[in-house]
Every structure is written in structure tokens, then in C-alpha cells.
Amino acid sequence: MSTSGRLGLRHVSGSELIRAEKERLTSQIVSADQLRTDHVVDNQELLLAGLRAYEAQDDRSILFDGHNVVDTNDGLVRIPFEVIAELSPAAIVMIVDAPDAIVRRRLTDTTRARPNRSAEELSTYQDLCLELAQAHAEALAVPMTPISSGDTDTFIAFLRSLDCRR
């Protein structure tokens, strides 16, 4: 059973929600790479509509997996704070890893067509994401923690420390 399932949470990613809404509106299949190359900020309305529909399915809390910055072919695109606020997170977790490890994962992932970034560029990207996650958490008055990639025990402990029965 997945981590979220063991905790009684539903798990969904932002790209899943955007893709489902876009497919519902256009009746066309949409890939994850298309979402990254689309107008990222425009897709956020689809994200919020998709989340509202997903929330309405049942009353269990949701473990939302999303980005606060999207790496596009044209550079880094910040997700507006207003979108993050409308997600109404109970907490924010930032998964972090060594930039070299991220480069290796990206190189071996043949399912995605991501921009080719150096370890230095990915370090800058990760630092920006972390800075924004901290600022968003502070502005929303919710807890925030960075967790190392693969550290499931710390992730579960953090989730259990939350009162997710909003």
C-alpha cells in the first residue's frame, strides 16, 4: 500500500488534475510534456477546477503533489502565490536532493522530455523552490519542512504530526 493510503489520504498530482481538466474540455489526450510547454500560469485555473472536482469525490484529506516553479524550455516559471493560497494547504513539504542525483534521474528518465539542465542550474532551481516554499508557508501560516528524497520515514512522521481533518 502507498504511503498516502496507509495514512488514509488520497494522493493526486497537479499535472494529473490539469491533464484531466484539459482532456475534459478538449476531448483530446494531453501528455505531461505538453503541460510543461503550455502556458503554465494559464493552466493553474484548470488545476484549481480539477482540485475542486477531486475534493468533491469524498471527504478524505488530499496529499497534493505539485510544483511552485515549473522548469520549461523558456526558463523557470513561478506559480503565482494566489494559486498556492487557493489550494489551502495544511502544510508544505519540499522534497530535496543532491543536484547531481537529480541530473542522473533526469538522464535515465526516457519517459519525459525535460530541458537539459546542469547540476548548477538544478541547484539554483531547487534553491528557488525552497525559498518560495518557505515564503508561501509563512504567508499561509502553515508548517513547512524540506525532506530528503527517499526519506519516507521523515515524510510519514511529518504527515502524522499534522491535523489533516480540515
Side-chain angles (χ1 to χ4, degrees), residues 39-78:
H39 297 283
V40 172
V41 175
D42 293 345
N43 282 343
Q44 302 316 299
E45 285 301 318
L46 298 173
L47 167 71
L48 295 171
L51 183 61
R52 286 189 288 275
Y54 192 74
E55 286 173 326
Q57 292 174 7
D58 72 49
D59 63 353
R60 289 178 295 153
S61 293
I62 298 169
L63 176 60
F64 176 77
D65 176 356
H67 295 269
N68 57 10
V69 178
V70 178
D71 187 7
T72 73
N73 292 336
D74 298 322
L76 302 178
V77 176
R78 296 175 189 212

Side-chain angles (χ1 to χ4, degrees), residues 92-139:
I92 297 174
V93 172
M94 168 81 186
I95 304 298
V96 296
D97 205 353
D100 289 337
I102 299 169
V103 168
R104 283 191 300 278
R105 265 197 311 278
R106 281 181 162 208
L107 289 174
T108 59
D109 182 1
T110 58
T111 65
R112 305 278 305 276
R114 292 187 177 109
N116 203 6
R117 304 283 187 232
S118 68
E120 183 178 327
E121 289 170 313
L122 290 172
S123 178
T124 299
Y125 174 28
Q126 185 169 244
D127 289 347
L128 173 61
C129 292
L130 187 56
E131 177 185 316
L132 287 173
Q134 291 168 331
H136 293 158
E138 185 176 313

Side-chain angles (χ1 to χ4, degrees), residues 3-4 6-7 9 63 91 93 143 145-147 151-164:
T3 299
S4 57
R6 285 186 286 170
L7 295 170
L9 304 171
L63 176 60
V93 172
T145 189
I147 296 178
D151 189 355
T152 307
D153 292 340
T154 300
F155 183 64
I156 289 171
F158 180 73
L159 291 178
R160 284 191 171 139
S161 73
L162 302 172
D163 180 11
C164 294

